[in-house]
């Protein structure tokens, strides 16, 4: 059974994609945050532009920060966003 | 007692201070961040990640409570469209000791700036918009606390 | 703008914050000291040296303004008889930068504690009275700022 | 012409003396704060008790802090009080 993952986008990532969230199916070998991002980059176009540079992005799995190498585990939601600028 | 609030509404510093003061102690430190007019700023739009925001702020408050003897921590952060001079964020800490209250307040602000999932988009008076970028000085300020603990 | 006020009246944190905020910036730090109930405290009597107090507080505020980029400094200190939970002191600083506002606020409190001519006499619930003595931790906190500058 | 100096007392110094202020005439050789204090100590009684230990006291000349060795100069008012405890 294919696993699925909700991806949510914020700030300029959201704006440039024109997308708040999407659901993706996780194929074999997609085990980490970086794997998901590479999958998005492979779509080409604006995805490739936005997600090529991991250093410009931050990630959270089920609302806790994760690193590119963090395993997805049983997470339901991956958030991808720029460094935060609140306060 | 920890109080976290995230939403579009403004806060009342007097009400929030009284709430912290009512938890005991005698030392109350607070910080208010407002939309600063740096010349031609029209407004700010504050976006956040609702499912994560309160969780992240709670974690910061809990860390502060573990590191300093605090009776109360209040963190209020506004979202949505804000004009120049509007309040953005309020942090209040209550302790028996002024050093603990002030340091914890400073810690919470530094962590909030680098960890809490908020993003600011500014609109200039000429109509142009821009997402504000992370500042190196904020990252430094945040990391100093981590180094201090080691 | 520096505002110094010494007298028996209580202060309104909302009014005072708005006054500082009105001077510009976007970073407002404040500290409130209140009469802390440490078990059997009845009241505090705060005495001061009227001819010297405002002068001493002004000097502290001016030093802070010279050392940090501040738009406004407010120092309010009450005198006379105060009950447990009553406000004693309020310091507010306004700046463009949160680090400057918070540090300056901390500096002002540390200096106020060791330099401004106020004395506290406590009355216990059993009726005994005692003049509070200088605390070594306050002296240390005050001197750290001087060392930092050298 | 004898110089005169107003001395003001605060906190427990004031209470133990039972005196807010007094005016003293400064004789020959009274040039520093310490000289004034020694003059007070010479009165004996509670003055001797209170002013014997300079380390327990703080001084201000015309509302600016002074040390025991500070010259009186043309100051009109000397304040003698314990270390401050406000805030």
């Amino acid at each position: 059974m294919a696993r699925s993952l909700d991806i949510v986008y914020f700030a300029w990532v959201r704006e440039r994609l024109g997308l708040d969230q999407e659901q993706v199916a996780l194929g074999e070998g997609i085990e980490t945050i970086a794997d998901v991002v590479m999958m998005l980059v492979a779509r080409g176009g604006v995805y490739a532009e936005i997600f090529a540079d991991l250093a410009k992005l931050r990630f959270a799995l089920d609302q806790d920060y994760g690193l590119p190498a963090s395993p997805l585990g049983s997470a339901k939601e991956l958030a991808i966003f720029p460094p935060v600028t609140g306060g | 007692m920890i109080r976290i609030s995230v939403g579009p509404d403004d806060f009342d510093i007097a009400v929030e201070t009284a709430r912290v003061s009512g938890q005991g102690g005698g030392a109350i430190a607070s910080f208010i961040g407002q939309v600063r007019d740096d010349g031609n700023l029209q407004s700010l739009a504050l976006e956040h990640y609702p499912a994560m925001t309160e969780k992240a702020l709670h974690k910061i408050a809990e860390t502060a409570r573990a590191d300093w003897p605090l009776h109360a921590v209040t963190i209020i952060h506004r979202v949505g469209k804000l004009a120049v001079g509007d309040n953005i964020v309020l942090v209040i800490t209550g302790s028996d000791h002024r050093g603990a209250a002030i340091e914890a307040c400073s810690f919470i602000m530094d962590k909030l700036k680098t960890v809490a999932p908020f993003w600011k988009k500014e609109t200039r008076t000429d109509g142009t918009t821009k997402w504000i970028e992370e500042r190196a000085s904020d990252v430094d300020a945040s990391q100093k606390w981590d180094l201090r603990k080691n």
Side-chain angles (χ1 to χ4, degrees), chain B residues 92-137:
Chain B
I92 314 184
T93 52
S95 176
D96 286 356
H97 310 289
R98 75 180 181 289
I102 294 172
E103 274 193 21
C105 184
S106 179
F107 167 85
I108 290 167
M109 275 306 305
D110 286 344
K111 289 299 170 187
L112 186 156
K113 281 259 175 191
T114 51
V115 171
F118 295 99
W119 300 272
K120 287 195 194 99
K121 185 181 187 178
E122 56 185 28
T123 300
R124 294 282 154 188
T125 48
D126 65 3
T128 57
T129 63
K130 185 169 155 265
W131 288 97
I132 293 181
E133 288 182 27
E134 179 183 52
R135 295 192 314 174
S137 60

Side-chain angles (χ1 to χ4, degrees), chain B residues 24-51:
Chain B
I28 299 165
S30 75
F31 179 82
I32 295 174
Q34 301 178 325
V35 181
R36 177 160 64 94
D37 184 8
D38 60 359
N40 61 346
L41 184 67
Q42 175 74 37
S43 63
L44 275 188
L46 262 143
E47 177 173 332
H48 74 129
Y49 178 7

Side-chain angles (χ1 to χ4, degrees), chain A residues 8-15 20 55 58-65 77-87, chain B residues 33 46-52 55-56 59 77 88-89 109 112-121 131-134:
Chain A
V8 293
Y9 303 112
F10 294 97
W12 59 256
V13 176
R14 174 182 58 72
E15 278 194 347
D20 292 89
R58 299 293 180 269
F59 309 95
L61 276 175
D62 284 353
Q63 299 88 47
D64 277 318
Y65 279 98
E77 184 172 280
L78 170 65
I80 306 182
F81 47 75
V84 303
T85 58
Chain B
L46 262 143
E47 177 173 332
H48 74 129
Y49 178 7
M52 181 174 176
K55 188 175 174 179
K59 206 166 164 183
H77 202 297
I88 302 172
V89 62
M109 275 306 305
L112 186 156
K113 281 259 175 191
T114 51
V115 171
F118 295 99
W119 300 272
K120 287 195 194 99
K121 185 181 187 178
W131 288 97
I132 293 181
E133 288 182 27
E134 179 183 52

